Amino acid sequence: KQWYQRRVRGSCEMFWILLVVVAAQVSGYQYEYCNWLFYNIPRYNYTCNKDNLCWYGCSKGYCWSQCNGVGKVNWDGPEGTCNTAFHVNGNLEWCWLTGPDAKGYKTCSTDADCQGVLSNSCHGSCSVG
């Protein structure tokens, strides 16, 4: 009986050590990549801005970017970066990007057209949908 108890206790300790190691490894990625939920899923087809960890793209002729609204509450990443784990029912928080010279919206036909305004502020509020 004592042998069994030592074996079970040792297995539990190994499990917790392994869990801590895996969690430490995974948590390091949250500051290196855009929100993991949206990678390699054809229906999203977003582009990752590796400078600020925000997804962005061209939709309906205008540039948009992921932003932090409610997600800002639990984000402890570097200032100016997007929350890489937050979503609401599989949807990002996003906004339309302000165009050049802080006037209106930036128009586009492809994601590449938005690269010049990726660091611009939102033109309006950050919302989900």
Side-chain angles (χ1 to χ4, degrees):
K1 185 175 178 179
Q2 288 178 353
W3 171 83
Y4 176 75
Q5 288 175 337
R6 280 194 304 260
R7 183 174 174 100
V8 169
R9 190 177 325 133
S11 295
C12 287
E13 289 171 359
M14 281 301 284
F15 170 77
W16 286 111
I17 290 170
L18 180 62
L19 184 63
V20 168
V21 168
V22 169
Q25 293 253 331
V26 170
S27 67
Y29 292 118
Q30 73 180 359
Y31 305 120
E32 296 176 21
Y33 301 100
C34 290
N35 193 313
W36 60 271
L37 182 66
F38 300 92
Y39 273 104
N40 299 319
I41 300 177
R43 73 179 167 132
Y44 294 121
N45 196 28
Y46 302 151
T47 304
C48 177
N49 178 354
K50 293 183 181 7
D51 292 334
N52 66 1
L53 307 178
C54 298
W55 291 106
Y56 73 94
C58 178
S59 178
K60 301 177 185 174
Y62 297 98
C63 294
W64 68 273
S65 176
Q66 179 185 357
C67 53
N68 289 333
V70 174
K72 186 187 304 185
V73 173
N74 69 344
W75 180 236
D76 64 350
E79 183 67 30
T81 60
C82 285
N83 189 320
T84 61
F86 185 79
H87 63 91
V88 177
N89 296 323
N91 294 295
L92 289 171
E93 292 183 294
W94 68 278
C95 66
W96 298 114
L97 288 171
T98 301
D101 303 322
K103 295 179 183 173
Y105 300 101
K106 168 63 175 155
T107 58
C108 59
S109 55
T110 68
D111 290 356
D113 296 336
C114 301
Q115 290 180 354
V117 295
L118 291 181
S119 58
N120 286 12
S121 61
C122 291
H123 189 74
S125 63
C126 183
S127 61
V128 175

